[in-house]
Amino acid sequence: MHQYQLSSLEAYTDLLRRGGWRKTLDGRVLHAVCAIAPCTRREVAEFLDIQASTISGAVNRLLKVGTLITEQSNPGDRPCKVSGRHTNLLGKHPSLVTP
């Protein structure tokens, strides 16, 4: 179970501002997406040096919030740098202001 609820964008933004994101998988995934976007889930996993299956739940939770990260179809011109396949790309939501 994580240490915070993703139901409040203000609380999550405050967590990021105070540096608490470094202690949670969701926060680390959000940081990675913001740092390397557009990116695939496997690229995020490689950036964090953890298994892709480990980040899946965190990515899904962040997507569910709706205002933190986005996932969209790959336009087809950029394969995943890890798998070489054309998969969906993650990105920072336009309304998210990172500290």
Side-chain angles (χ1 to χ4, degrees), residues 14-73:
D14 186 56
L15 177 69
L16 291 174
R17 196 176 307 114
R18 289 183 287 119
W21 61 268
R22 292 178 184 93
K23 299 175 185 170
T24 66
L25 179 61
D26 291 12
R28 291 176 61 214
V29 168
L30 177 60
H31 170 72
V33 169
C34 291
I36 63 173
C39 56
T40 67
R41 291 172 187 239
R42 287 185 182 249
E43 291 167 353
V44 171
E46 181 178 72
F47 182 84
L48 295 173
D49 195 28
I50 55 180
Q51 295 291 321
S53 60
T54 303
I55 68 145
S56 183
V59 168
N60 290 337
R61 286 188 294 275
L62 293 169
L63 287 168
K64 187 175 180 182
V65 172
T67 55
L68 298 173
I69 65 172
T70 61
E71 184 173 41
Q72 47 194 294
S73 296

